[in-house]
Amino acid sequence: MTLSGTDRSRGARWVLAMGIAAACLAGLVGCSLPASSGLDADATASPTGVGEPDVRRRARIRLELAANYMQMGQTEVALDEVRQAIATDPSYADAYHLRGLVYMSLGELSLAEDSLKRAQGMKPSDADIMHNYGWLLCQRQQYEQANQLFERALAVPSYASRSKTLMSQGLCHQRAGRVADAQQTLLKAYEIDAGNPVVGYNLASILFDRGENKRAQFYIRRINNSDLANAQSLWLGIKVERALDEFVAMRQLGDQLRKRFPNAKETLAFERGAFNE
């Protein structure tokens, strides 16, 4: 944590809580739009519209509208456009794929699974569908099945979004309590995309929880020394610096936290000295 376009979506509002709707719409974790929607920056598909039948062209236009509406957060409108795309061309796998993502963003996980399962049946080798279906199963705590889909996506030689899948796989391992697996998988994601704040934060968090404070410091400092810092990263940074007796750095981060996020729960915890909550 893509709806791709990760670079456009990063900043102080990046997602750490991993809520489905926020994560999908922020373009950070979990979700990847069908390549034919025209909004997946990681896609390497050939230009759409070349030699396609008229029915597919009309359905694709509807799907592009749906993807745009979804990115703007207008999920109900997006769902209506997807329905019209499917009505126009019931054999269009990407429309079922996007419908699954819209249902995920609405919290309708059973409907999302039905759509993604149908899309996968139509395009069984599509790594983006595998990734999104895996992420959905992770939300449903079906961790082993999710991991199998992530592995299948990563095994596709032409798959361009490996860092995204490694990140989601690592976060899913973390949810499942497989901390060592989570750490190793997130390290692989970090090697590919060191600028991703979700990967960096969760690596630092895991390392801090395991008492590897110096290593945690490396990852959290990279975030907090950039414009990607937010209340959560600053608070984790404060706790890491405190554990290392780096009190000057700790006070500097505390000043940032008070100034930039005066009403955040992390700021209130800092003011209470609640470092172990």
Side-chain angles (χ1 to χ4, degrees), residues 9 66 68 70 75 96 141 148 157 179 186 247 250 265-266:
S9 300
N68 277 298
M70 185 176 175
T75 49
Y96 295 100
Q141 300 181 7
Q148 290 172 9
V179 179
L186 289 170
F247 297 114
M250 174 185 163
K265 65 180 179 10
E266 293 81 4

Side-chain angles (χ1 to χ4, degrees), residues 14 21 27 34 54 60-61 64 77 132 144 202 207 212 224 229-230 232 260 262 269 271:
W14 46 272
D54 181 64
R60 176 176 54 78
I61 291 170
E64 289 172 357
V77 182
N132 288 329
E144 188 54 43
N202 282 278
L207 291 165
E212 298 186 50
N224 287 333
N230 70 3
Q232 289 167 296
R260 296 177 57 191
E271 298 290 3

Side-chain angles (χ1 to χ4, degrees), residues 176-224:
R178 301 169 185 166
V179 179
D181 289 336
Q183 180 177 326
Q184 291 305 311
T185 306
L186 289 170
L187 281 169
K188 292 178 184 178
Y190 195 86
E191 289 174 3
I192 300 172
D193 186 9
N196 188 316
V198 177
V199 175
Y201 175 90
N202 282 278
L203 262 176
S205 181
I206 288 172
L207 291 165
F208 177 66
D209 288 342
R210 302 185 82 180
E212 298 186 50
N213 298 317
K214 197 65 181 176
R215 293 181 67 194
Q217 183 189 55
F218 169 79
Y219 294 105
I220 201 64
R221 276 191 173 184
R222 288 199 65 179
I223 297 171
N224 287 333

Side-chain angles (χ1 to χ4, degrees), residues 37-192:
S37 70
L39 292 178
D40 191 338
D42 295 326
T44 56
S46 58
T48 55
V50 179
E52 65 183 341
D54 181 64
V55 167
R56 177 57 53 86
R57 181 188 63 79
R58 288 187 284 115
R60 176 176 54 78
I61 291 170
R62 286 289 185 187
L63 198 64
E64 289 172 357
L65 286 170
N68 277 298
Y69 282 122
M70 185 176 175
Q71 250 190 341
M72 292 186 292
Q74 299 181 39
T75 49
E76 293 292 348
V77 182
L79 186 58
D80 184 61
E81 292 291 347
V82 172
R83 286 171 177 153
Q84 293 187 61
I86 291 172
T88 301
D89 185 355
S91 67
Y92 196 11
D94 289 340
Y96 295 100
H97 184 184
L98 186 56
R99 186 173 72 176
L101 298 187
V102 176
Y103 279 136
M104 282 177 72
S105 74
L106 293 170
E108 298 284 356
L109 300 190
S110 295
L111 293 173
E113 184 168 1
D114 288 343
S115 292
L116 291 173
K117 189 179 292 185
R118 185 158 185 176
Q120 189 183 38
M122 293 177 173
K123 294 176 73 174
S125 300
D126 189 297
D128 284 315
I129 296 175
M130 293 178 206
H131 171 95
N132 288 329
Y133 195 3
W135 182 242
L136 171 64
L137 292 176
C138 183
Q139 313 315 306
R140 307 197 80 179
Q141 300 181 7
Q142 298 177 36
Y143 299 121
E144 188 54 43
Q145 298 94 318
N147 191 57
Q148 290 172 9
L149 284 167
F150 290 140
E151 290 291 344
R152 286 175 58 191
L154 291 166
V156 175
S158 60
Y159 187 41
S161 301
R162 295 179 60 80
S163 63
K164 174 193 64 186
T165 295
L166 286 166
M167 176 182 69
S168 298
Q169 185 181 37
L171 294 170
C172 196
H173 281 321
Q174 196 173 5
R175 289 183 170 198
R178 301 169 185 166
V179 179
D181 289 336
Q183 180 177 326
Q184 291 305 311
T185 306
L186 289 170
L187 281 169
K188 292 178 184 178
Y190 195 86
E191 289 174 3
I192 300 172

